């Protein structure tokens, strides 16, 4: 093998690259906050450096050189900052964020197999400039003077701690936290019992914070068969017995780490700020793996095949029963299989759920960028709790969330001067909250404390009556083509109005959108969304001037309908509808030596049919029998969101649900198999 | 079977290294996702060669090399250090600490195989078999 097969690693590369990009953004945002408030956050620089370093190496392997170039420059800045030779500034964070955006742009070009744009010169220059000019204004230095002698700890260990680690230990102890040294000796027996350095570290980090793990060489003996001991330095308020059992040792092996007197009295108060670390943005993803969506879809497909097999099994059981065979045990087993299949389906569906918190990860970035471009001060608070959504819903609803948040910054939140004049805090607040409303629904709220919606002004501009209630206001602002400001700003208010939000939430996802607004006080939009939706690969087609959709899976074949293949059947069926314009299976289709019933779909649906000479037909199988349905023309193949028809009054056999093909109008999704049985029953009559 | 430990916090990177060596018979691969995990597994023995990334979240490759060389039983273990562009300056340090070879990403499969062969020469299966077939 002379060349690595890059395609084989593309998916893996993209998944890891995405993880590093996300982690880098979170770290940069946290870092920026830390720089403004002046509390040192060395860990974030370290993590950032690692992310970029890994991105660089991986990108080099798959041959995405522009990313290598960008990451290399960024990495250099961070390495210098990490070593303390230069200091990171707020301005530097800005350029680094730009770098991350540039990297992301290129990974997505790579994903779509497009040409990857070279690294932008202005970015590389800006990054290079940072490498020489760092060290001004607000800086992120580790406060000097971490005094090694004031920590009561083995000299061998002390020598191996970096200044930030030392400082973290000392500050935490000074603030009253408990610090421990826990020794873990790896051995084959401990490993067999589930105690390896990785599992011990994982367990300990659940009940405390690991400052450092130091490997130390020791003489080989029964307790240390590998000649190795790991000294874990841990901050934890858990009782010693719990720490010991997490690390597979006994409490007597724990050594408390203390500060010598002098240090306690000097710095305690000053260092207390460590406790309020804004670390929420950066969390470890322990026990989480990321899977390509196509693999889950594949699993669902396999499951669907299994469901068919189960039906075959049930048929066999019925046949046997009809023949008088005792099938009680078989029936029980078949029932079990049915239940297990249902559970399996649920389990797979669950694994497609993504956390809403993760979905909203990018919103702070958007708000941040917008408050810069508008000059408004905005604080964003996101509370998504543990809510989860089907990936398919999440992907579709995200643009609506972004739109609402952008609108809030752009139109709702006032400028700082205006807010002060109105007696409000200069900084506006946008809150995004989310919780599970029921087993099947999620509620998402986007609120602002801005100026509220001026319904009178909007109605005047739209030439409509002033609405009297909030429902009317919602209807007014979601009118297609309406923008809430006459001046188009750079981000919203151009083209895409609120109607898109309603279309996504209501028309596409079958959810609900409401609003509450108080002039001068703010606006809240509430979306209720289904936790999951069914996505179907479908053919869209026209029949009698109307558009319809059918699942691709049930269509055996699409054929051109030529008149010479169509035969009018002999007497009984034809007579039933003779002279009638509406023909059911009045015709048959000759195909590969077989004669199959041909239904005119337009007639079945009581629509005007097109010229039969230019028709196409779907071949569908029902109970093993082929049927043909004539249609006018096929529009295309696309993924659609099917919404079931819940109202029993409108529920019709042959109609599986409705969808939106993108034109905002509801389109019927037909169940041609169901329709074929309706039609053949009609033809027999 | 020769046992190879591949140490890198990136899963794709580990898989790529293993893929490079697919054509070499008689190798068995283990993976470690962190420096600490690597040290633990190496201390318990049984490996014939290590591929080692320098930059990892907990302890870096240097510390792993240092530990390995401090152990009597691991003194002769071949270590191939794998790094990224820009780290060439670290080459000297890695070699001083006791790394056997130094490879920079991106690398070609041929180069990986060549490094491995140069370190394990006569212990490789196909080599042994070649010699066996020479015996009349």
């Amino acid at each position: 093998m002379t060349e690595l097969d890059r395609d084989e690693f593309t998916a893996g590369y993209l998944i890891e690259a995405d993880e590093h990009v996300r982690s880098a953004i979170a770290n940069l945002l946290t870092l920026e906050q830390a720089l403004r408030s002046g509390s040192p956050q060395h860990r974030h620089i370290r993590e950032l450096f690692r992310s970029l370093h890994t991105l660089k190496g991986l990108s080099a392997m798959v041959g995405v050189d522009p990313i290598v170039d960008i990451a290399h420059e960024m990495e250099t800045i961070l390495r210098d900052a990490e070593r303390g030779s230069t200091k990171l500034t707020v301005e530097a964070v800005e350029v680094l964020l730009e770098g991350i955006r540039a990297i992301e742009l290129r990974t997505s070009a790579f994903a779509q197999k497009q040409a990857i744009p070279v690294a932008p010169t202005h970015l590389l220059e800006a990054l290079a400039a940072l490498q020489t000019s760092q060290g001004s204004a607000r800086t992120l230095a580790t406060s000097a003077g971490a005094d090694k002698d004031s920590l009561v700890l083995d000299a061998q260990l002390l020598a191996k701690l970096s200044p930030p680690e030392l400082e973290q230990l000392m500050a935490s102890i000074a603030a009253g936290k408990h610090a421990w040294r826990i020794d873990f000796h790896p051995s084959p027996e401990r490993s067999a019992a589930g105690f390896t350095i990785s599992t011990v570290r994982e367990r300990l980090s659940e009940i405390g914070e690991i400052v450092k793990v130091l490997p130390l060489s020791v003489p080989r003996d029964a307790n240390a068969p590998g000649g190795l001991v790991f000294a874990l330095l841990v901050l934890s308020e858990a009782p010693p017995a719990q720490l010991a059992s997490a690390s597979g040792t006994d409490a007597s092996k724990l050594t408390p780490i203390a500060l010598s007197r002098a240090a306690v009295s000097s710095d305690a108060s000053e260092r207390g700020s460590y406790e309020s670390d804004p670390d929420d943005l950066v969390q470890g993803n322990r026990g989480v793996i990321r899977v390509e969506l196509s693999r889950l879809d594949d699993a669902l497909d396999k499951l669907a095949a299994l469901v068919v097999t189960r039906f075959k099994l049930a048929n066999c059981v019925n046949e046997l029963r009809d023949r008088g065979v005792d099938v009680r045990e078989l029936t029980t087993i078949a029932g079990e299989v049915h239940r297990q299949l249902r559970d399996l389906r649920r389990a797979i569906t669950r694994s497609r759920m993504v956390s809403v918190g993760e979905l909203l990860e990018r919103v702070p970035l958007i708000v941040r960028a917008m408050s810069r471009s508008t000059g408004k001060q905005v604080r964003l608070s996101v509370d998504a709790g543990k809510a989860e959504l089907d990936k398919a819903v999440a992907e579709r609803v995200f643009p609506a969330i972004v739109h609402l948040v952008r609108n809030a910054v752009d139109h709702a939140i006032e400028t700082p001067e205006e807010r002060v004049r109105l007696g409000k805090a200069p900084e506006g607040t946008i809150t995004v909250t989310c919780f599970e409303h029921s087993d099947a629904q999620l509620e998402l709220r986007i609120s602002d404390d801005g100026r509220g919606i001026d319904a009178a002004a909007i109605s005047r501009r739209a030439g409509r009556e002033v609405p009297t209630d909030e429902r009317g206001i919602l209807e007014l602002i979601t009118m297609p083509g309406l923008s809430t400001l006459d001046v188009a700003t750079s981000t919203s208010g151009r083209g895409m109005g609120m109607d898109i939000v309603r279309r996504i939430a209501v028309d596409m996802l079958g959810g609900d959108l409401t609003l509450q607004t108080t002039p001068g006080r703010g606006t809240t939009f509430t979306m209720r969304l289904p936790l999951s939706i069914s996505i179907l690969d479908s053919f869209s087609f026209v029949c009698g001037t109307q558009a319809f959709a059918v699942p691709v899976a049930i269509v055996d074949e699409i054929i051109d309908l030529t008149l010479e293949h169509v035969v009018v059947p002999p007497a009984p069926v034809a007579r039933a509808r003779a002279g009638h314009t509406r023909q059911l299976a009045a015709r048959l289709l000759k195909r590969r030596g077989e004669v199959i019933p041909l239904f005119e779909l337009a007639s079945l649906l009581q629509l005007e049919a097109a010229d039969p000479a230019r028709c196409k037909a779907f071949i569908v199988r029902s109970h093993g029998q082929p049927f043909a349905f004539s249609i006018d023309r096929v529009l295309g193949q696309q993924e659609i969101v099917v919404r079931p028809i819940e109202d029993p009054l409108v529920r019709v056999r042959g109609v599986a649900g409705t969808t939106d093909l993108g034109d905002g109008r509801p389109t019927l999704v037909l169940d041609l198999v169901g329709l074929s049985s309706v039609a053949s029953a009609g033809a027999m009559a | 079977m020769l046992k190879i430990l591949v140490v890198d916090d990136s899963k794709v990177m580990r898989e790529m290294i293993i893929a490079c060596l697919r054509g070499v018979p008689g190798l068995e691969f283990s993976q470690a996702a962190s420096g600490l995990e690597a040290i633990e597994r190496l201390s318990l023995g049984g490996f014939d060669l290590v591929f080692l990334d320098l930059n990892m979240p907990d302890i870096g490759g240097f510390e792993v090399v240092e530990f390995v060389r401090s152990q009597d039983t691991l003194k002769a273990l071949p270590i191939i250090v794998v790094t990224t562009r820009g780290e060439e300056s670290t080459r000297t340090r890695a070699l001083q600490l006791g790394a056997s070879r130094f490879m920079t990403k991106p690398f070609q499969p041929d180069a990986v195989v060549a490094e491995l062969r140069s370190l394990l020469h006569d212990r490789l299966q196909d080599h042994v078999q070649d010699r066996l077939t020479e015996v009349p």
Side-chain angles (χ1 to χ4, degrees):
Chain A
M1 184 168 66
T2 49
E3 277 285 332
L4 207 57
D5 179 8
R6 284 176 188 161
D7 286 348
E8 182 185 344
F9 298 103
T10 300
Y13 166 74
L14 289 171
I15 290 173
E16 279 191 25
D18 181 48
E19 270 168 22
H20 286 295
V21 163
R22 290 152 67 113
S23 144
I25 291 175
N27 275 314
L28 277 169
L29 291 178
T30 314
L31 205 56
E32 187 183 42
Q33 243 178 314
L35 285 168
R36 292 185 192 285
S37 62
S39 61
Q41 294 285 318
H42 216 81
R43 180 160 67 85
H44 302 298
I45 299 186
R46 205 166 51 226
E47 282 176 14
L48 260 171
F49 171 74
R50 277 205 46 253
S51 289
L52 285 156
H53 189 79
T54 309
L55 271 169
K56 185 170 87 169
L58 287 175
S59 304
M61 288 304 290
V62 295
V64 191
D65 293 337
I67 295 185
V68 179
D69 298 337
I70 300 168
H72 178 70
E73 295 298 328
M74 294 174 69
E75 181 198 69
T76 309
I77 297 169
L78 292 161
R79 177 187 285 131
D80 292 349
E82 196 201 350
R83 289 182 182 157
S85 58
T86 53
K87 289 156 187 174
L88 216 51
T89 60
V90 176
E91 293 69 33
V93 171
E94 185 65 24
V95 184
L96 290 169
L97 270 172
E98 202 185 313
I100 291 289
R101 272 193 291 273
I103 289 176
E104 209 180 4
L105 202 77
R106 282 158 185 80
T107 54
S108 65
F110 180 70
Q112 288 156 20
K113 302 203 189 309
Q114 294 168 349
I116 293 150
V118 295
T121 317
H122 72 90
L123 175 65
L124 294 183
E125 278 169 5
L127 287 167
L130 279 178
Q131 290 163 26
T132 48
S133 75
Q134 295 253 357
S136 58
R138 278 166 291 199
T139 57
L140 185 88
T142 55
S143 40
D147 187 357
K148 292 186 182 186
D149 297 331
S150 55
L151 255 191
V152 182
L153 192 66
D154 195 308
Q156 196 191 354
L157 292 186
L158 273 179
K160 289 193 169 185
L161 291 179
S162 70
E165 285 158 354
L166 260 178
E167 196 174 306
Q168 185 188 6
L169 258 183
M170 290 175 49
S172 306
I173 299 170
K177 290 188 179 174
H178 287 93
W180 301 91
R181 170 183 168 174
I182 303 170
D183 284 357
F184 172 70
H185 300 81
S187 76
E189 295 75 33
R190 290 194 184 95
S191 160
F195 288 97
T196 65
I197 185 61
S198 305
T199 62
V200 165
R201 205 152 48 127
E202 203 165 304
R203 278 186 217 119
L204 282 174
S205 55
E206 275 164 22
I207 52 175
E209 186 184 348
I210 300 177
V211 177
K212 182 80 174 172
V213 187
L214 290 163
L216 303 171
S217 288
V218 291
R220 269 165 213 276
D221 59 20
N223 192 34
L228 166 70
V229 58
F230 289 109
L232 297 106
L233 308 184
V234 182
L235 293 167
S236 175
E237 301 312 303
Q242 197 185 347
L243 289 168
S245 81
S247 47
T249 168
D250 57 84
S252 64
K253 298 271 163 59
L254 267 52
T255 321
I257 307 171
L259 278 184
S260 70
R261 262 235 148 80
V264 177
S265 54
S266 66
D267 275 351
S269 55
E270 216 178 301
R271 303 237 166 104
S273 65
Y274 265 99
E275 295 205 85
S276 53
D277 278 358
D279 269 0
D280 300 352
L281 273 167
V282 187
Q283 306 158 338
N285 282 338
R286 263 169 236 287
V288 174
I289 58 157
R290 309 185 82 188
V291 182
E292 288 163 68
L293 201 57
S294 62
R295 293 194 189 179
L296 287 180
D297 289 340
D298 190 37
L300 269 178
D301 283 349
K302 303 263 155 59
L303 180 71
L306 207 53
V307 171
V308 175
T309 313
R310 187 194 75 82
F311 276 114
K312 285 188 192 154
L313 176 70
N315 281 341
C316 279
V317 174
N318 288 342
E319 245 170 66
L320 284 175
R321 184 191 296 116
D322 291 348
R323 279 193 234 149
V325 180
D326 177 7
V327 292
R328 272 173 295 181
E329 203 169 328
L330 259 181
T331 312
T332 319
I333 296 174
E336 243 166 66
V337 170
H338 175 58
R339 269 192 306 280
Q340 285 161 353
L341 275 177
R342 200 185 44 206
D343 291 349
L344 184 59
R345 191 189 161 73
R346 240 178 244 162
I348 296 179
T349 313
R350 254 195 78 76
S351 64
R352 287 178 48 102
M353 302 294 259
V354 293
S355 99
V356 180
E358 208 169 292
L359 175 70
L360 298 176
E361 247 173 23
R362 290 300 171 89
V363 178
L365 211 57
I366 295 164
V367 171
R368 181 182 169 283
M370 284 198 63
S371 59
R372 277 168 183 245
S373 66
T374 56
K376 294 176 180 178
Q377 294 176 19
V378 187
R379 198 174 67 85
L380 176 78
S381 127
V382 176
D383 177 17
K386 289 202 159 118
E388 291 185 326
L389 260 185
D390 188 292
K391 174 102 178 150
V393 181
E395 273 170 5
R396 284 165 175 78
V397 79
F398 189 64
I401 298 173
V402 170
H403 194 75
L404 287 172
V405 170
R406 285 189 158 166
N407 267 344
V409 181
D410 235 359
H411 305 312
I413 303 284
E414 309 88 339
T415 59
E417 304 76 46
E418 192 180 343
R419 288 182 66 93
V420 169
R421 203 166 52 238
L422 293 166
K424 291 180 172 182
E427 189 184 52
T429 305
I430 296 176
T431 316
V432 182
T433 48
C434 178
F435 54 91
E436 270 174 38
H437 174 68
S438 68
D439 279 356
Q441 276 197 319
L442 187 88
E443 190 165 307
L444 232 159
R445 254 185 237 161
I446 292 145
S447 315
D448 64 70
D449 65 349
R451 53 169 70 100
I453 295 171
D454 186 349
I458 298 172
S459 346
R460 217 172 23 248
R461 223 154 38 78
R464 299 277 176 125
E465 256 177 62
V466 181
T468 50
D469 58 4
E470 283 168 338
R471 221 186 132 117
I473 297 177
L474 184 69
E475 220 154 88
L476 178 70
I477 62 171
T478 55
M479 264 169 47
L482 184 87
S483 138
T484 41
L485 258 193
D486 284 318
V487 189
T489 63
S490 64
T491 42
S492 50
R494 247 197 322 205
M496 208 171 83
M498 277 291 300
D499 58 318
I500 201 96
V501 176
R502 196 200 52 201
R503 270 202 27 213
I504 291 172
V506 182
D507 302 336
M508 189 194 254
L509 296 171
D512 191 31
L513 176 70
T514 52
L515 85 85
Q516 285 168 291
T517 184
T518 316
R521 300 285 294 279
T523 307
T524 299
F525 287 93
T526 307
M527 283 193 267
R528 284 227 180 121
L529 301 165
L531 292 181
S532 66
I533 46 173
S534 40
I535 305 290
L536 215 56
D537 197 10
S538 77
F539 289 122
S540 50
F541 64 95
V542 173
C543 178
T545 71
Q546 270 195 41
F548 296 94
V550 286
V552 166
I554 68 151
V555 176
D556 260 19
E557 214 178 315
I558 303 175
I559 57 163
D560 282 316
L561 210 54
T562 45
L563 284 175
E564 54 266 34
H565 290 136
V566 179
V567 287
V568 179
V573 183
R575 198 191 50 215
R577 299 281 172 184
H580 215 277
T581 45
R582 255 201 287 150
Q583 297 180 328
L584 293 174
R587 300 188 297 170
L588 294 171
L589 181 68
K590 268 196 291 189
R591 239 183 111 248
R592 294 176 195 152
E594 209 181 8
V595 177
I596 64 173
L598 169 66
F599 299 108
E600 206 171 280
L601 192 59
S603 304
L604 283 173
L605 301 168
Q606 311 194 3
L607 296 165
E608 206 62 40
D611 177 6
R614 289 184 290 115
C615 280
K616 297 222 174 235
F618 288 129
I619 311 287
V620 175
R621 260 165 215 279
S622 165
H623 303 288
Q625 278 297 115
F627 288 84
F629 286 92
S630 68
I631 58 157
D632 294 0
R633 63 197 155 90
V634 176
L635 291 171
Q637 187 175 344
Q638 67 192 101
E639 281 199 336
I640 54 168
V641 180
V642 183
R643 292 166 42 198
I645 297 178
E646 255 128 34
D647 189 340
L649 287 176
V650 223
R651 211 179 286 157
V652 184
R653 185 121 195 239
V655 176
T658 63
T659 188
D660 179 354
L661 291 177
D663 55 4
R665 284 184 308 189
T667 301
L668 290 180
V669 183
L670 297 180
D671 165 17
L672 291 182
V673 175
L675 211 53
S676 70
S677 56
V678 175
S680 20
M684 297 302 177
Chain B
M1 278 292 185
L2 292 176
K3 289 183 73 180
I4 313 290
L5 183 67
V6 182
V7 188
D8 198 306
D9 55 317
S10 157
K11 181 163 164 272
V12 195
M13 204 55 231
R14 296 196 301 268
E15 285 168 354
M16 284 180 180
I17 292 175
I18 294 173
C20 287
L21 293 167
R22 248 178 226 153
V24 183
L27 302 182
E28 190 183 305
F29 294 96
S30 299
Q31 306 184 27
S34 76
L36 292 173
E37 200 183 323
I39 283 186
E40 174 174 58
R41 304 190 62 164
L42 290 171
S43 80
L44 300 177
F47 290 98
D48 297 291
L49 186 139
V50 188
F51 282 93
L52 181 66
D53 180 33
L54 279 190
N55 211 279
M56 286 178 290
D58 41 32
I59 62 165
F62 287 136
E63 286 173 80
V64 178
V65 177
E66 235 175 329
F67 168 80
V68 166
R69 293 309 178 218
S70 73
Q71 297 285 301
D72 289 341
T73 50
L74 297 175
K75 278 217 154 71
L77 178 72
I79 304 174
I80 300 179
V81 164
V82 182
T83 62
T84 306
R85 191 189 94 188
E87 280 180 334
E88 286 83 356
S89 57
T90 57
R91 181 193 191 102
T92 325
R93 185 161 170 223
L95 295 176
Q96 271 169 356
L97 286 173
S100 321
R101 293 285 190 279
F102 194 90
M103 278 178 15
T104 305
K105 297 174 212 168
F107 45 75
Q108 295 298 317
D110 286 347
V112 185
V113 173
E115 296 288 14
L116 178 108
R117 283 192 186 280
S118 76
L119 287 167
L120 295 178
H121 14 252
D122 47 346
R123 296 167 65 196
L124 280 165
Q125 211 176 58
D126 47 358
H127 192 96
V128 175
Q129 264 163 4
D130 284 350
R131 277 199 302 193
L132 283 180
T133 48
E134 279 164 25
V135 177

